[in-house]
Amino acid sequence: MKTYVVGGAVRDRLLGRPVQDRDHVVVGATPQQLVARGFTPVGKDFPVFLHPHTHEEYALARTERSTGPGYKGFTFHTAPDVTLEDDLIRRDLTINAIAEDEDGTLIDPFGGQRDLAAKLFRHVSSAFAEDPVRILRVARFAARFADFAVAPETLALMRQMVAAGEVDHLVPERVWQELARGLMEAKPSRMFAVLRDCGALAHILPELDALWGVPQPEIHHPEIDTGAHVMLVVDLAAAAGHPLPVRFAALLHDLGKGVTPKEGWPSHHGHEALGVPLVQAICQRLRVPNDCRDLALMTAREHGNIGRGLQLRAATLVNVFERCDAIRRPERFFDMLKAAECDFRGRSGEQRTFANEPYPQAAHWQAALAAARSIDAGAIAHANRENPPRIPLAIHEARVAAVRAIAGVSEEGAPSA
Ligand code: ATP
Ligand code: MG
């Protein structure tokens, strides 16, 4: 029996990147032999074992047979006569199909090193077409290795898979998992560029795909195109190191601009409210976790108000806090401020970028929230104990008074939200 390090660990070492976890493949062994050597079987779908000391993953070399369309339609075949090359050929990309033996010798039958040097994502074999998850993986790797391109023949194959309806069979959890991982990479816009290029985005996130070709007013948005704007925003959220909910909220904040009446373009009055049901639909369809869903809904609904914060009256600011449950959950509100700041900065053209302009809205909202939270609701409830139905209004009014007292809050005549 021989063991090799394979996949991401070999690739990342060759790229000079930190190696996360090392996956091994074992050739010429049976499960019984591995168990006899102290390995622990853990694989649900195919035989994977944990090393008795390092606890790294060892998989028996395997071939696959597709038994139907989509992610679930696979069975695996392992046997001592499955060779390393048999195993490598079923991997997705050439750069992920390089093995390294115990002496450090590379086994690279599909030109992975060549493609690493050329910065290309190239499929190993036509078997790539049997699993649409691979489309998502290529897109996610593009967000991580932002200077890599998809090889033309791989892009052509991905387009064929999309045209054949393959991505419609993906299980929602897997779509979300890959999107979420791609959002956490350095340049999420690359993932969406790849998904758009092969046509998959229109199947997976049609509400987002619709934003390309939708114009915005050039004075506020020198980039004009709404899709281009959203990509700038999501890349800024990544560059700032924001957590997943903020990146997801940044991605979906402007969906409403895809459904505003064309007669009104390039303005998008009311796009915030129009976006809310679209965010809702995506989150239901992909079973998005609650923290991501709630922040995305709130950001879609309120980002216009956040941007106009300096013009809003105290009562309006407090209404926003109460709608967002910000009194009880200030951290989530601050996360929305982060997404809104990326929205503000994610605008640029040749003449103008907003990257370094001041964004006083953030400090203003923070000061207003601190004031609104400073009131003693218990004392107000006690003072109104003879008239309990008045308590919520009395608390609200005290919050408004506290917010009105801070510097720079707009007064009469300002628009309401
Ligand atoms: P990461 O750094 O994100 O972990 P990775 O390349 O190690 O990247 P894994 O998901 O850990 O990705 O998978 C390990 C290896 O298994 C890959 O390098 C690839 O060779 C293979 N692989 C994983 N998923 C697929 C798939 N859907 N189709 C084909 N090969 C796959
Ligand atoms: Mg890995």
Side-chain angles (χ1 to χ4, degrees):
M1 114 179 185
K2 281 205 69 155
T3 71
Y4 304 83
V5 178
V6 281
V10 180
R11 177 199 67 218
D12 290 345
R13 188 182 64 71
L14 290 171
L15 285 171
R17 288 176 146 253
V19 170
Q20 311 295 347
D21 43 27
R22 295 183 342 140
D23 291 313
H24 305 256
V25 66
V26 184
V27 177
T30 61
Q32 295 71 25
Q33 284 171 315
L34 284 177
V35 170
R37 291 186 185 208
F39 284 80
T40 317
V42 289
K44 264 200 324 266
D45 306 323
F46 41 80
V48 178
F49 300 83
L50 296 186
H51 189 278
H53 305 304
T54 66
H55 304 292
E56 292 182 338
E57 288 194 359
Y58 286 70
L60 287 174
R62 61 185 189 263
T63 59
E64 75 192 354
R65 279 186 300 264
S66 176
T67 54
Y71 169 58
K72 285 185 166 161
F74 277 103
T75 59
F76 291 92
H77 165 72
T78 73
D81 65 345
V82 174
T83 67
L84 178 64
E85 198 159 323
D86 292 337
D87 180 278
L88 294 178
I89 200 171
R90 56 155 282 283
R91 291 173 184 267
D92 50 0
L93 298 171
T94 60
I95 62 167
N96 292 341
I98 309 171
E100 187 177 334
D101 74 8
E102 282 144 355
D103 312 324
T105 307
L106 295 176
I107 299 97
D108 180 16
F110 304 105
Q113 293 169 91
R114 173 202 62 208
D115 288 333
L116 275 179
K119 299 188 189 300
L120 282 174
F121 301 121
R122 186 194 309 280
H123 62 287
V124 175
S125 81
S126 58
F128 183 96
E130 288 164 14
D131 179 7
V133 166
R134 293 169 188 160
I135 293 177
L136 301 174
R137 286 175 54 88
V138 173
R140 167 164 71 78
F141 284 124
R144 184 188 307 174
F145 305 119
D147 55 346
F148 277 55
V150 182
E153 56 273 33
T154 302
L155 186 58
L157 184 58
M158 287 163 60
R159 286 182 177 146
Q160 278 174 31
M161 292 165 70
V162 171
E166 279 286 331
V167 292
D168 306 316
H169 300 295
L170 284 165
V171 293
E173 288 81 0
R174 194 60 202 272
V175 175
W176 167 253
Q177 185 191 0
E178 293 295 324
L179 287 177
R181 291 176 74 182
L183 281 170
M184 290 313 290
E185 298 289 356
K187 206 141 195 243
S189 65
R190 288 285 302 132
M191 169 166 67
F192 298 103
V194 168
L195 292 174
R196 242 163 65 73
D197 260 6
C198 68
L201 194 63
H203 292 254
I204 295 168
L205 290 174
E207 302 87 347
L208 180 69
D209 192 61
L211 299 184
W212 277 269
V214 174
Q216 307 165 106
E218 192 171 0
I219 11 150
H220 305 302
H221 285 282
E223 75 285 354
I224 300 175
D225 189 84
T226 308
H229 164 58
V230 170
M231 292 298 102
L232 291 168
V233 176
V234 76
D235 280 349
L236 281 174
H242 291 323
L244 179 61
V246 176
R247 298 185 193 202
F248 185 63
L251 180 71
L252 301 190
H253 79 281
D254 260 350
L255 291 186
K257 289 181 179 172
V259 294
T260 46
K262 279 200 173 68
E263 309 82 72
W265 288 2
S267 48
H268 297 282
H269 291 300
H271 74 274
E272 295 92 340
L274 287 170
V276 170
L278 302 179
V279 175
Q280 190 80 260
I282 288 176
C283 293
Q284 256 168 31
R285 201 168 68 228
L286 298 183
R287 323 231 164 106
V288 172
N290 293 352
D291 58 341
C292 288
R293 178 198 63 201
D294 292 345
L295 193 68
L297 284 170
M298 194 189 291
T299 305
R301 190 181 71 224
E302 306 290 353
H303 69 275
N305 289 327
I306 299 302
R308 282 189 294 277
L310 298 171
Q311 285 98 55
L312 301 179
R313 288 173 295 176
T316 310
L317 297 171
V318 172
N319 286 341
V320 171
F321 293 144
E322 289 174 351
R323 276 204 297 276
C324 296
D325 200 14
I327 306 290
R328 288 196 314 150
R329 311 215 26 203
E331 293 306 323
R332 187 174 65 182
F333 192 84
F334 296 149
D335 275 349
M336 177 167 67
L337 293 181
K338 290 177 192 148
E341 179 161 354
C342 293
D343 175 24
F344 172 80
R345 300 200 182 286
R347 301 184 278 165
S348 79
E350 285 177 10
Q351 311 297 327
R352 186 172 179 201
T353 144
F354 291 70
N356 300 312
E357 292 196 14
Y359 185 70
Q361 287 93 326
H364 186 68
W365 281 101
Q366 281 163 8
L369 182 55
R373 296 186 76 228
S374 72
I375 67 129
D376 185 346
I380 294 169
H382 185 72
N384 288 273
R385 66 190 177 283
E386 305 300 333
N387 187 7
R390 221 198 91 73
I391 293 172
L393 185 63
I395 291 174
H396 174 82
E397 284 168 354
R399 286 176 184 151
V400 174
V403 170
R404 195 177 286 129
I406 70 162
V409 170
S410 290
E411 264 316 317
E412 294 309 303
S416 62

